Amino acid sequence: MAQATCCLASQSLRVIVLSFTLLTIVKPAMSQLPTATILGTIKDPTAAIIPGVAITAKNLETGLTRTTVSAEDGSYRLSALPVGAYEVRVELPGFRTEVRGGLILTVSQEAVVNFALQPGALDQTVVVTEDAPLVNTTSGALGGLVDEQKVAELPLNGRNFIDLTLLTPGITQHRNLAVAASTVGLWFSSNGAPLRSNNYLLDGALMTNLTQGTSASQDGSTLGIEGIREYRVITNSFSAEYGMTMGSQVVMVTKGGTNTLHGSVFEYFRNSAL
């Protein structure tokens, strides 16, 4: 009898350990990387597709380059690109090289950049420095972007960048937190969803406190705006790569180094009466 009880306890322990292992493995895979994508189609002047074209995307801030080749249907896709300014170069013998500049990628964006190559020598280059505004034709997700300029220039009481989430349509702040276990941080509802239905991702990692309601620590503090570059608030119709909640997804990107020296200064002055 004792031996049977011992075997049952051992099996239960194995199940618990296996379940915990699966959770620790699967959970990071649910997180969405704070990156962007460039995709499109390459054709000739007659609108015929061109496979085998070499495509290179270069980050103008860091010098990072990514390359790929157009598929049999003339399409290409460059995923997991860090946010920032880019130029895209396409090359194929028998056609002029084309360079598309002025491309600014933001977090979770899918930028469609199509090319129509002109016949000519490879050393002939067509440079396009201005382009029409990119229209999102790949996703039906709703929400808003809090870009780098808004984070840096909009006034904030307490320098809490999460307060800028209230600029997004469909976001409503809740101040009566009698039903909440904690009152720290910014509590809001996305399109009427429960207060604990908001998911926060910082560089792809989950960032919520014990109450699963805000991104603030238990003392009410959050990361300063100096460390945040931009973030996107997705309020509805987000794709299956997101999960965990039904309200909103807040995808944040931290600042990173570039090839240009830059920085900022913050001064706090308090004048107390004697």
Side-chain angles (χ1 to χ4, degrees):
M1 183 70 178
Q3 184 177 3
T5 303
C6 182
C7 292
L8 182 60
S10 178
Q11 291 177 357
S12 300
L13 180 60
R14 290 196 189 109
V15 171
I16 294 174
V17 172
L18 178 60
S19 300
F20 179 77
T21 303
L22 290 175
L23 286 174
T24 56
I25 293 175
V26 174
K27 193 171 183 179
M30 295 179 181
S31 297
Q32 166 65 16
L33 292 176
T35 55
T37 300
I38 300 176
L39 70 158
T41 305
I42 302 178
K43 300 180 179 180
D44 64 13
T46 65
I49 59 175
I50 309 178
V53 180
I55 303 106
T56 302
K58 180 180 179 180
N59 188 313
L60 301 180
E61 300 174 4
T62 63
L64 171 73
T65 59
R66 288 278 304 280
T67 60
T68 189
V69 177
S70 60
E72 292 298 323
D73 60 354
S75 65
Y76 73 95
R77 186 181 184 91
L78 291 165
S79 304
L81 294 172
V83 300
Y86 281 82
E87 70 173 18
V88 182
R89 175 184 293 266
V90 294
E91 300 173 298
L92 183 69
F95 293 88
R96 297 177 182 176
T97 298
E98 184 167 339
V99 178
R100 186 74 56 86
L103 180 59
I104 307 297
L105 295 184
T106 58
V107 59
S108 300
Q109 179 186 11
E110 289 192 345
V112 179
V113 184
N114 299 319
F115 291 90
L117 296 185
Q118 303 293 325
L122 190 62
D123 58 355
Q124 294 179 310
T125 303
V126 178
V127 180
V128 180
T129 56
E130 295 184 2
D131 202 358
L134 295 172
V135 179
N136 184 5
T137 59
T138 62
S139 173
L142 301 178
L145 174 70
V146 180
D147 58 26
E148 190 172 7
Q149 183 178 10
K150 292 177 182 177
V151 173
E153 298 182 3
L154 288 180
L156 289 170
N157 183 12
R159 298 172 61 80
N160 182 4
F161 68 94
I162 289 294
D163 289 345
L164 298 176
T165 304
L166 300 176
L167 299 174
T168 305
I171 298 297
T172 304
Q173 184 179 9
H174 282 246
R175 298 183 182 275
N176 183 11
L177 300 178
V179 297
S182 172
T183 59
V184 301
L186 174 67
W187 290 77
F188 65 86
S189 171
S190 174
N191 296 319
L195 301 181
R196 290 186 174 87
S197 296
N198 303 306
N199 193 31
Y200 297 87
L201 297 170
L202 179 65
D203 287 342
L206 292 172
M207 191 180 75
T208 55
N209 59 15
L210 295 176
T211 63
Q212 297 296 314
T214 73
S215 62
S217 62
Q218 290 306 110
D219 66 354
S221 61
T222 60
L223 292 175
I225 61 174
E226 300 298 335
I228 299 298
R229 173 167 180 156
E230 63 182 36
Y231 65 94
R232 185 179 299 276
V233 184
I234 309 174
T235 59
N236 204 345
S237 301
F238 41 82
S239 62
E241 60 190 330
Y242 299 97
M244 309 298 289
T245 61
M246 62 181 177
S248 70
Q249 304 285 335
V250 182
V251 187
M252 298 170 283
V253 181
T254 57
K255 291 182 180 179
T258 67
N259 293 335
T260 303
L261 181 64
H262 61 281
S264 61
V265 176
F266 171 71
E267 179 182 0
Y268 174 78
F269 176 75
R270 179 180 179 183
N271 184 14
S272 58
L274 297 177

